[in-house]
Amino acid sequence: MSAGCCARRANGRPSWSPRPSARVRRPVCATPIRITPTCASPIRATPVRSTPRWRHGAPRPPPELRDGQQPDVVLARSPGCCVARFARQAGGSAPQSPANDRPDRRCRAESEAPVTIDRSPVLVDLALQGGGAHGAFTWGVLDRLLEEPWLEIDGVSGTSAGAMNAAVLVDGFADGGRDGARAALESFWRSVSDGARFSPFQRTPLDLLLGRWTLDNSPLYVIMDLMARMVSPYDLVAGANPLAAILEKHIDFERLSQASIKLFVTATRVRTGQGRVFRNAEITPDVLLASACLPTMFQSVEIDGEAYWDGGYSGNPTITPLVRECRSRDTIIVQINPIERIGTPRSARDILNRLNEVSFNGVLLKELRMIALLRQVADAGNCEGAQWARMRIHRIASAAMAELSASSKLLAEWGFFCKLRDLGRAAAETFLVENAAALGERSTYDLDALLAGP
């Protein structure tokens, strides 16, 4: 008898035959399971039966499993969660977990047993773009980065939805550390979803049936989109922005003013078109609302007698305060708005969306080009130019964000938020696996490519 399998007699019958009423004893094999990981996400292993079950009269197992050899266990990743897929030459299917069908629980396994990277601490800054409901992608990125104790956050710069993510993170971190920041972000996005439960902007039954995350076919959204081109927000009765109450509920602005992590929020002055950067002690609900004030949808927000619009027009986000006021030399940009799109937009809606993307990315690209130019200078000097030249730039983004429609930026369903959160976690996971060793050493974003061309 060979180890891990039953011996067979010369006539081909098994050397043992269980009684019909007795429990079948299964041979045990001591051969170790061979595991081939295909993702670096945190996974908790579960016991796997080492020997396939078969009885006399049943089809014989494949030859590779007769002599105690074990099937390979392949760990495969789906967006936002990890599942175990058992790959055998004889066939097999992946075990499905009911929790994976729940969008609000897809990352529970990851957050329960995270696999951290063993390396020395690195001081980093975060630059968070805005994008309405797409800011839930940034929530997922932050949720994953906060699991790494070696990543020490020095400062955060944010605009629009990125500013709200930044403020919630900094306040939550001041209150309860990393776990407090993660809990605060989830609570904030949950409240945003609950507040929009009865919003007139809802998906159509057909979109719900087909699983399409878009408002392109929503009658009220189409009406609002047309009115935004013909009617000014000042022609309508201005009501209270529901986000104001949510921000006051989830952010302690007094605690935020004294937080150890530096916070920078950008808004655009309507009068001059220049951006203004607000710091910890200056942050109020009105500042965050001003940073997210799209002029075609909302009346401008007045702060100290000055009218402000969305900060994306002057910096999405602004890198300058991170260079001048923070000690870190590594900046991680969480990008929501795609820089490149294949093809030329044809419809009026697509043209307007692309126009907003180009204008919102314009200032950020100029700052990155300046860093690239200063790095090529033989002697950048000892003044501010040297600080810019020493910056190391990294980027976390996902090509899937370019597939989302512009209308989905107003879609505030919890399932959609969770989908984007899982997408953000997966993008951050990929970034950490590929670039963790480069943080503190070199840029992982190709700045020289920004200087190519005329």
Side-chain angles (χ1 to χ4, degrees):
M1 178 181 293
S2 61
C5 63
C6 60
R8 306 187 67 85
R9 293 179 179 176
N11 59 6
R13 297 185 60 82
S15 60
W16 52 273
S17 178
R19 295 190 302 272
S21 60
R23 183 176 180 180
V24 177
R25 298 185 61 186
R26 302 177 184 87
V28 178
C29 175
T31 306
I33 297 177
R34 293 179 284 118
I35 298 180
T36 307
T38 61
C39 72
S41 301
I43 298 172
R44 294 184 299 174
T46 55
V48 180
R49 188 177 303 280
S50 60
T51 304
R53 183 186 305 176
W54 74 87
R55 298 190 182 188
H56 176 63
R60 296 186 65 183
E64 65 271 17
L65 298 182
R66 294 178 190 171
D67 298 326
Q69 297 181 2
Q70 303 303 315
D72 288 340
V73 179
V74 181
L75 303 178
R77 181 178 181 83
S78 63
C81 60
C82 288
V83 296
R85 176 170 54 89
F86 297 83
R88 298 189 181 100
Q89 294 182 6
S93 60
Q96 300 295 327
S97 170
N100 288 338
D101 297 331
R102 293 278 302 277
D104 56 334
R105 293 186 178 179
R106 289 177 182 169
C107 291
R108 292 294 182 251
E110 291 180 307
S111 59
E112 289 174 2
V115 175
T116 58
I117 299 172
D118 185 15
R119 62 152 298 166
S120 57
V122 178
L123 200 62
V124 299
D125 299 325
L126 302 176
L128 312 180
Q129 280 196 330
H134 294 182
F137 172 85
T138 302
W139 163 32
V141 171
L142 298 176
D143 189 68
R144 179 62 187 93
L145 295 181
L146 286 167
E147 293 178 351
E148 298 298 331
W150 56 272
L151 281 175
E152 299 180 355
I153 303 175
D154 186 23
V156 187
S157 177
T159 297
S160 191
M164 298 182 187
N165 273 321
V168 173
L169 180 148
V170 173
D171 179 60
F173 197 97
D175 183 38
R178 297 175 182 273
D179 292 338
R182 296 180 64 199
L185 285 166
E186 180 171 359
S187 179
F188 169 76
W189 284 99
R190 171 72 77 173
S191 292
V192 172
S193 175
D194 291 343
R197 185 171 299 170
F198 301 105
S199 167
F201 303 131
Q202 302 290 342
R203 290 186 293 163
T204 63
L206 180 60
D207 290 329
L208 289 169
L209 181 64
L210 298 178
R212 297 187 300 207
W213 300 102
T214 180
L215 293 174
D216 286 349
N217 303 312
S218 170
L220 287 176
Y221 174 79
V222 173
I223 294 173
M224 186 276 298
D225 189 40
L226 292 175
M227 288 182 62
R229 306 173 198 274
M230 300 179 292
V231 181
S232 165
Y234 293 91
D235 296 332
L236 306 175
V237 178
N241 193 324
L243 276 176
I246 295 175
L247 292 170
E248 291 178 349
K249 174 184 176 181
H250 289 276
I251 301 175
D252 185 335
F253 290 92
E254 180 64 27
R255 181 172 58 211
L256 182 66
S257 66
Q258 303 172 6
S260 59
I261 298 178
K262 300 179 182 67
L263 175 61
F264 308 99
V265 173
T266 304
T268 304
R269 291 183 176 94
V270 178
R271 180 173 54 87
T272 64
Q274 296 178 339
R276 176 181 171 182
V277 178
F278 297 85
R279 291 156 179 80
N280 294 59
E282 302 172 304
I283 307 298
T284 65
D286 282 344
V287 168
L288 297 176
L289 293 177
S291 182
C293 178
L294 289 173
T296 57
M297 296 182 60
F298 304 103
Q299 296 182 11
S300 62
V301 178
E302 287 196 6
I303 302 173
D304 299 331
E306 186 86 38
Y308 290 91
W309 280 342
D310 195 297
Y313 296 112
S314 55
N316 190 27
T318 302
I319 302 295
T320 302
L322 299 177
V323 177
R324 291 177 174 176
E325 304 178 34
C326 293
R327 294 178 293 122
S328 170
R329 288 291 169 260
D330 286 80
T331 297
I332 301 176
I333 300 172
V334 182
Q335 190 163 17
I336 293 178
N337 300 305
I339 294 178
E340 296 182 5
R341 279 191 181 274
I342 299 176
T344 302
R346 301 291 184 180
S347 67
R349 182 180 299 169
D350 291 341
I351 291 173
L352 182 60
N353 178 52
R354 186 55 184 159
L355 180 62
N356 287 332
E357 289 177 346
V358 171
S359 60
F360 281 6
N361 283 327
V363 179
L364 173 63
L365 290 176
K366 286 182 179 179
E367 290 185 315
L368 296 179
R369 287 192 188 100
M370 183 169 63
I371 295 175
L373 283 171
L374 290 172
R375 289 176 56 189
Q376 295 183 357
V377 176
D379 182 11
N382 298 320
C383 56
E384 184 177 340
Q387 291 180 277
W388 284 87
R390 287 196 297 265
M391 294 299 295
R392 295 179 287 268
I393 305 299
H394 315 273
R395 185 183 68 150
I396 299 178
S398 173
M401 297 300 293
E403 303 299 323
L404 298 175
S405 66
S407 65
S408 63
K409 293 181 179 181
L410 297 178
L411 185 58
E413 295 181 26
W414 179 243
F416 184 53
F417 287 168
C418 291
K419 174 185 175 67
L420 293 176
R421 175 204 62 190
D422 296 342
L423 191 63
R425 282 188 59 93
E429 181 72 35
T430 300
F431 170 80
L432 290 173
V433 170
E434 296 177 353
N435 303 309
L439 286 168
E441 300 293 335
R442 58 179 176 82
S443 290
T444 58
Y445 184 52
D446 187 9
L447 296 175
D448 294 333
L450 299 175
L451 302 177

